[in-house]
Amino acid sequence: MTEVDVPPFRYTAALADQIERRWQDRWEREGAFHAPNPSGPLADPAHPRSGAEKLFVLDMFPYPSGAGLHVGHPLGYIGTDCFARYQRMAGRNVLHAMGFDAFGLPAEQYAVQTGTHPRTTTVANIDRYRAQLRRLGLAHDQRRSVATIDTDFYRWTQWIFLQIFDSWYDREAGRARPVSELIAEFAEGSRPTPDGRPWSGLSAAERRAVVDDHRLAYVSQAPVNWCPGLGTVLANEEVTADGRSERGNFPVFKRNLKQWMMRITAYGDRLLDDLDKLDWPEPIKLMQRNWIGRSHGAHVDFPTPVAAIRVFTTRPDTVFGATYMVLAPEHELVDTLVPSAWPAGTRQAWTGGHAGPREAVEAYRKAAAAKTDVERQAETKEKTGVFTGAYATNPVTGGQIPIFIADYVLAGYGTGAIMAVPAQDERDWEFAEVFELPIVRTVQPPEGFDGRAYTGDGPAVNSAAPERGLDLDGLSVAEAKARIIAWLEETGNGQGAVTYRLRDWLFSRQRYWGEPFPIVYDADGAAIALPEEMLPVELPEVDDFSPRTFDPQDADSDPETPLSRRRDWVEVELDLGDGPKRYTRETNVMPQWAGSCWYEMRYLDPTNGARFVDADNERYWMGPRGEGDCGGVDLYVGGAEHAVLHLLYARFWHKVLYDLGHVSSFEPFRRLFNQGYIQAYAYTDARGAYVPAEEVAERDGGWFLGDVQVNREYGKMGKSLKNVVTPDEMCAAYGADTFRVYEMSMGPLEVSRPWETRAVVGSYRFLQRVWRAVVDERTGESRVTDDPADEQTRRLLHKVIDGVRGDMEQIRFNTAIAKLIELTNGVTRLSATPREVAEPLVLMVAPFAPHIAEELWQRLGHPTSLTYADFPVADPALLVAETVTYPVQVNGKVRGRIEVPADAAEEAVRSAALNAVVGVLAGREPRKVIVVPARMVSVVL
RNA sequence: GCGGGAGUGGCGGAAUCGGCAGACGCGAUAGGUUUAGGUCCUAUUGUCCGAAAGGAUGUGGGGGUUCAAGUCCCCCCUCCCGCACCA
């Protein structure tokens, strides 16, 4: 491009860059986006929004990756920024800040690769992110930026951990309470101890064990997800359906290991029920509901010669149809149940070809354990299992039913044992067919039902045991359930029960780069909370911070925590109130999710050294807006991938803090909005290798790199796919404002869409036209006139103001921008731009393109930033059209048009319409004429 | 398999309450500006028939309700997401 023909005052990328940097500096200097707190050091009574209605806008804070940002990353941040800027102009006190989720696996892996300390790389990445985000003109309150790796921050993460550790869930009260109150109840005898002995009769160790069993954070020895490739254990939520780690895609194995758990299951009901209070996308709520997986049913005991087998069933009404039982292979009763020899008459098919039941069970267990989850899934069609040689008694029929083990029953759900009712359960039906087990219908299928298992509603049949005082016949499923549960409870054969799919949250990781636990162990190995004054427990420096990782397939390897190698840190002498003693520190660290469970609250009061957040400030920014309101962040924007992980964990922590009286809101995020993703095309050559996407051209219906035809695929943007486009490139080529407008205009924020660099120019042209509406690009002089606008332009302006306001409130930025383009196109035709249009146009453009808007606002004669300028308000009188054009349909097709005064009577519209289509009617008399006021006229012949 | 979401021009999308389908942008075509390309400006641009006027047709497919359906109802197809033997 030669400079010669570009008008000297045109809005070019170079000018945009100059304007943008100038305004970014000024905003920073003036603290333009500082939001005043009601109290504390961040209070500011002189602030234009002090005491105004508050609005807390939040982004899911990023993990600062070493790869930097691509154009997809800031989509949500720009969206919240446009929303926040609009709301500020609309009069609200808006809190919008950005922090960094900087602990976690990827930081550590990257550090391992580059050989530098995770803190060094993480801090450098954060700096780079900050610079990149600043370049986009995001209006964040910089004073409130926090990073989870700051000791000032994780000191409070540890503090909250201690609150959870020092709490138990009181089921009667339906909330968490301090452990001290539990001990007091035991001590005064108002709460019986588990084994009934008086509290005073328990040894110190026994008391501690009882209390530890109640804690919301506890150590357990249980099967966990061990991932040798990552050298750490993982939460259920971090393991994919095919048994691999969500991060790194390594195999995950079940191992019995001692680990920290969080009793999130205690909150199952509230996490489920409170979803109804939230303004969240329904799919996300549904995913949480499914993940929690509450099932109502009953526990039923089936006696056997050795011990009763307790099953969980959602269909206790079908117990008369229970013709066999199945235990998970790992079920604890299997070993005691199995006799030394097959009972007389055992069918060959049930034995798996083994001479005795012990061998058969042993072989089946071995085979099941050797299968990967993928293999298990592949074989789900074919039911396998083996007879244990034992029988149980059906408590309602008194019949003897065989007990099998089979891997279609999961150890981890319910009781790990089921009563099998093939007639009313498809899985049981399949198993019954394979093993030729009896099938007894206990629900009458409807006439003509030709399926196998019938799981629908219907009258109970074959379900009476008069000698036991039980008769379900004729009852519907719901009635029969109620009747049988009452019977089970009366006779002591079981009781109504609720189970959850949700498991307790595995909270420890065998890594370096995370929050240390504020926990030490005494000589007896008991976990002891460090007192608050000893926080933070700082992450110690180590020579080798990389965790020990293993052959990803080595299921028998054992985790080794990096912190355990620092013996001088692990072994510590402390005085915890009873004199100096030797203690051993916990060497696990917290999972990545810990910091994100509460970070939004630290934004509210980032400098507070006495509390994680001041109560006043929490109540102002997040408190309930009335009776029954859950409170929380007013708008939380982020990707749907956190549907169950982060969002469930954060809700759980928040509820614990609420129960303990530390916060006034009982949900952290009142409104959730899932932004879509920016996707991209990638191209591969004949060998399948990725080629640089920016060099590929489309022609003749194909894609070519030079003369070579290449394949197109659609998906993520990534370095290895050679299709990355960065915000920096876009800022350099067009300016940040153009980039922002493009991202907001390319579609609704919640929808994923492909990136198209060549389309960015459309937004560039739009801003150039806005610029030209105010500035003569040849002379640099103002093109704004103080003469009034013509009627048409004025009406257009007010229609646009009205529409844009509505769109902004509803987060429909793409249509808001379309309206602004219409308005701009409307004034570019004019020889001069009336001030009454130019000013509102600039103000309305400001949320999307804040830099150019500030610049033009200044050129319009305003010395101060437009951050707190009033967003334009439409004049209702100008929204009402003087005349209305009605399309006139005849038999559903538009045959004419009439223009009538807006206040024309219906009869007048009707006759004008008939008049307009008189030729089409050709003398025929309409059977019906429908006038829809202000819409259309429909004539039916 | 179960649950959820979505299918509209060459492309991204609009149509908010059942009321003129395709706003706005990209691309394409033509013209203006320019030495030229690019930029910028103007116009056209769903498809088919037609020189035009105009007509027909059109929102994944098939039925239906209605004066009127992208929108409501029934059946089917495709794609995306979640869960995955959860008793």
Side-chain angles (χ1 to χ4, degrees), chain A residues 469-484:
Chain A
L470 182 63
D471 184 355
L472 307 178
D473 284 344
L475 298 181
S476 72
V477 168
E479 292 163 345
K481 277 184 187 175
R483 180 79 58 88
I484 184 74

Side-chain angles (χ1 to χ4, degrees), chain A residues 394-472:
Chain A
N394 183 319
V396 294
T397 65
Q400 293 295 295
I401 57 175
I403 305 168
F404 286 76
I405 59 168
D407 63 3
Y408 85 92
V409 172
L410 308 175
Y413 186 78
T415 62
I418 63 156
M419 62 176 208
V421 188
Q424 273 87 228
D425 185 288
E426 279 162 24
R427 298 155 301 183
D428 296 344
W429 181 291
E430 284 167 24
F431 191 86
E433 282 199 325
V434 173
F435 290 91
E436 295 172 9
L437 289 153
I439 296 169
V440 180
R441 288 214 189 269
T442 63
V443 177
Q444 186 61 53
E447 199 66 29
F449 176 77
D450 55 359
R452 308 191 303 168
Y454 175 68
T455 56
D457 202 352
V461 293
N462 303 320
S463 298
E467 70 285 6
R468 292 182 168 82
L470 182 63
D471 184 355
L472 307 178

Side-chain angles (χ1 to χ4, degrees), chain A residues 56 82 153 175 307 311 363 414 541 554 632 669 692 793-794 797 807 814 838 940:
Chain A
F56 185 7
C82 295
F153 183 93
R175 63 181 180 89
V311 303
E541 297 305 315
D554 187 0
F669 314 118
T793 306
R794 185 179 286 164
L797 169 69
D807 287 344
N814 54 327
V940 189

Side-chain angles (χ1 to χ4, degrees), chain A residues 576-596:
Chain A
L576 299 181
D578 49 359
K581 282 187 182 171
R582 303 287 300 171
Y583 295 95
T584 325
R585 289 189 191 274
E586 170 62 61
T587 62
N588 282 289
V589 295
M590 299 188 199
Q592 162 135 49
W593 313 103
S596 59

